Amino acid sequence: MTDYLLAIDQGTTSSRAIVFDKQGAICGLGQQEFAQHFPADGWVEHELEDIWASTLAVCRQALAAAGIEARQIASIGITNQRETTALWERDTGKPLGRAIVWQDRRTAAQCERLRAEGVEAMVSRRTGLLLDPYFSGTKLGWMLDNIPGAREKAERGLLAFGTIDTFLLWRLTGGKVHATDATNASRTLLYNIHRHCWDDELLSLLNIPVAVLPEVKNSADDFGTTSPELFGAAISVGALIGDQQAATVGQACFAPGMVKSTYGTGCFVMLNTGVQAITSGNRLLTTIAYQLDGQTTYALEGSIFVAGAAVQWLRDGLHLIGSASQMQELAESVSSSNGVYMVPAFTGLGAPYWDPDARGAILGLTRDTQIAHIARATLEAVCYQSRDLLDAMRNDGAEIETLRVDGGMVVNDWLVQRLADTVGCECQRPAVIETTALGAAGLAGLQAGLYGSLPDFNQLWRAEQTFKPAMSEADRERRYHGWKKAVARVRS
């Protein structure tokens, strides 16, 4: 019986694969971290071969853990770190260098020049995005201009561009399919989210040859089949979707007004706005939540560049903790952060500030500051940044009573309770917190016919625990005021 689904969740710091059954239960999981490269200030890169090797490994691990064979998988869904930019040779599949990661800020000066030329309003109208190095378009332009021979090869049609979903699909299908979905395309600065096509004027603005671009399809679609030798049998690929959009599906945020927040390497809040592409007055992004059968559902999104990555930095950079699991115990071991604020602007600040030149700081240190205070302040920074985004959405007219939360960080009860206290609304944690992978699997199941419609998949979602605000309004506002002062200190 082909009643199983395989989700590939290719993230910023690790590759994961999860086998789900038709009821949405996890049957097998594989995960592998891979190296991060920081060749210059504000630069972040990945080796594409590391991503490919780790993806293959975790898929095989997940199948083995589930005790099933490839022929029992109805379909694969791929979800991915979104704006990370890859370029490779069409004939060999060989990368033209490392992928430039979404966190990378090397094109900040170019974005500033374009903004000075007065084109940002036009770009925002067509893409829903702002001129920021976060997005793929300027990264791709940088690669074409700085890798010897790349531009000439690209114009001759010898190179292929893609975000990580596209690269993995290319490799999985043996180079037969060069495609992406509308959600990933909508994060490139090159795709018109209203006309649903690569935009000639934007391509000209960023000097991108159309020959390198993938075909754009629905989020659930026929993306071909894997080469049989990879897993022992060919498997249909039925879904591609960006990680935050996948989490929106996995959290069953299918009705306008529903909102989810994912806490992984970064933090991303997404508000379903239905068939309306709403323009934010508070520097949020208008983006595609998912596209099915040619019908587009839009969202407002706020992006925080550093959430779990700050915990990873405490572990790997400062060696203040041995594992992320220590964070809750440390936070609970002190009664407050003792006036310490952490602003984790390691690669600038995202929404609603959009300040690529801001840099991180730990403020309020005294002689009696302990590791526990810094750990607690790091978790509180995630909560304060979340409030920044929810306040922006509220100022755009959203009425937010419940926030659905997911991602690796929300296993921490203390963090989710402090989040509810800080943002002033209840937070629901789902029974399956692997909602990013679940969303990709669900769309693949929709394409394979395991589910008849999104409402069928909706019935699989249930809350595991609800956290309600317990902090006084005065205390909430006093703490948040301290955060705003700390952010002002690091702004460029």
Side-chain angles (χ1 to χ4, degrees):
M1 295 292 291
T2 54
D3 279 351
Y4 295 94
L5 297 160
L6 175 61
I8 296 173
D9 181 1
Q10 203 300 301
T12 308
T13 57
S14 70
S15 298
R16 300 155 64 79
I18 301 178
V19 173
F20 292 94
D21 66 16
K22 188 178 179 180
Q23 285 70 46
I26 294 174
C27 302
L29 183 149
Q31 179 169 353
Q32 189 176 114
E33 290 190 0
F34 55 88
Q36 311 289 304
H37 301 275
F38 309 98
D41 179 34
W43 291 29
V44 190
E45 297 177 348
H46 290 159
E47 291 283 1
L48 284 166
E49 296 299 350
D50 288 349
I51 288 177
W52 172 240
S54 61
T55 298
L56 280 184
V58 298
C59 286
R60 291 164 179 161
Q61 289 169 16
L63 289 169
I68 64 172
E69 298 178 356
R71 58 184 176 81
Q72 295 174 267
I73 298 292
S75 187
I76 293 175
I78 301 173
T79 183
N80 57 289
Q81 47 166 323
R82 294 174 299 181
E83 297 82 6
T84 297
T85 302
L87 194 62
W88 63 93
E89 295 176 347
R90 287 186 181 274
D91 58 346
T92 67
K94 180 182 176 182
L96 262 72
R98 290 175 179 161
I100 301 180
V101 180
W102 57 272
Q103 299 162 314
D104 190 282
R105 317 305 285 165
R106 74 187 66 185
T107 61
Q110 181 191 1
C111 292
E112 187 57 44
R113 285 195 301 271
L114 290 169
R115 195 176 297 112
E117 293 172 8
V119 300
E120 184 170 54
M122 181 273 290
V123 171
S124 294
R125 280 195 305 273
R126 299 186 186 198
T127 67
L129 310 177
L130 301 171
L131 281 171
D132 190 86
Y134 175 26
F135 306 109
S136 310
T138 58
K139 291 175 167 63
L140 175 57
W142 188 96
M143 296 176 86
L144 293 175
D145 289 335
N146 288 275
I147 298 174
R151 182 165 293 284
E152 183 265 336
K153 289 180 180 177
E155 289 170 350
R156 289 169 55 204
L158 302 178
L159 302 183
F161 150 75
T163 42
I164 298 301
D165 60 307
T166 301
F167 173 72
L168 290 179
L169 182 66
W170 176 279
R171 285 286 180 92
L172 288 167
T173 61
K176 293 178 181 176
V177 184
H178 184 214
T180 189
D181 88 303
T183 68
N184 282 294
S186 75
R187 312 295 295 192
T188 61
L189 279 176
L190 306 172
Y191 188 74
N192 191 312
I193 63 172
H194 310 287
R195 295 178 52 230
H196 308 291
C197 63
W198 299 116
D199 191 289
D200 290 339
E201 190 170 350
L202 296 174
L203 293 176
S204 177
L205 179 69
L206 298 180
N207 198 17
I208 304 298
V210 70
V212 302
L213 301 176
E215 178 186 2
V216 182
K217 306 183 82 168
N218 293 306
S219 303
D221 215 319
D222 179 3
F223 290 99
T225 58
T226 65
S227 299
E229 65 273 12
L230 295 177
F231 306 116
I235 309 174
S236 170
V237 181
L240 264 59
I241 185 168
D243 54 5
Q244 303 314 316
Q245 286 89 343
T248 302
V249 174
Q251 286 278 39
C253 291
F254 301 135
M258 297 185 73
V259 59
K260 72 87 196 173
S261 188
T262 299
Y263 298 90
T265 300
C267 167
F268 302 86
V269 180
M270 189 167 281
L271 171 75
N272 187 321
T273 64
V275 297
Q276 299 297 319
I278 295 174
T279 300
S280 172
N282 295 279
R283 296 179 67 75
L284 300 173
L285 306 176
T286 305
T287 197
I288 294 177
Y290 48 85
Q291 182 175 300
L292 300 173
D293 297 323
Q295 177 69 54
T296 300
T297 298
Y298 294 93
L300 281 179
E301 182 183 79
S303 308
I304 296 168
F305 297 149
V306 175
V311 176
Q312 187 181 45
W313 176 68
L314 293 185
R315 183 193 70 186
D316 299 340
L318 297 187
H319 304 290
L320 295 184
I321 60 172
S323 68
S325 60
Q326 292 177 254
M327 293 293 285
Q328 179 166 344
E329 181 182 353
L330 285 167
E332 290 175 336
S333 72
V334 290
S335 60
S336 75
S337 58
N338 202 30
V340 175
Y341 283 88
M342 150 85 86
V343 185
F346 302 147
T347 56
L349 289 169
Y353 307 103
W354 296 109
D355 187 347
D357 296 318
R359 285 297 177 264
I362 302 175
L363 303 164
L365 298 173
T366 62
R367 281 292 298 272
D368 61 345
T369 297
Q370 303 167 20
I371 291 173
H373 295 128
I374 295 173
R376 184 173 173 129
T378 300
L379 295 180
E380 288 178 335
V382 174
C383 304
Y384 294 132
Q385 291 180 103
S386 300
R387 174 160 173 185
D388 287 340
L389 300 183
L390 291 181
D391 279 1
M393 289 180 174
R394 288 164 173 148
N395 291 335
D396 279 331
E399 296 182 7
I400 301 172
E401 297 179 356
T402 301
L403 178 66
R404 292 186 172 181
V405 300
D406 57 83
M409 295 189 78
V410 304
V411 299
N412 183 328
D413 286 355
W414 185 91
L415 171 65
V416 185
Q417 181 58 55
R418 181 47 59 102
L419 178 65
D421 291 338
T422 303
V423 301
C425 71
E426 71 174 26
C427 295
Q428 289 184 332
R429 183 171 64 195
V432 178
I433 66 166
E434 300 287 356
T435 52
T436 302
L438 182 62
L443 291 176
L446 196 65
Q447 177 66 18
L450 293 189
Y451 310 114
S453 64
L454 282 184
D456 290 348
F457 185 64
N458 193 15
Q459 295 172 12
L460 302 179
W461 189 92
R462 63 182 179 85
E464 177 262 334
Q465 189 170 347
T466 298
F467 298 79
K468 296 182 180 296
M471 184 182 289
S472 71
E473 182 71 16
D475 198 13
R476 177 184 303 125
E477 294 308 312
R478 177 182 60 79
R479 293 169 186 266
Y480 185 60
H481 179 68
W483 163 257
K484 298 295 280 187
K485 288 172 63 178
V487 170
R489 296 279 291 275
V490 308
R491 293 292 305 275
S492 66

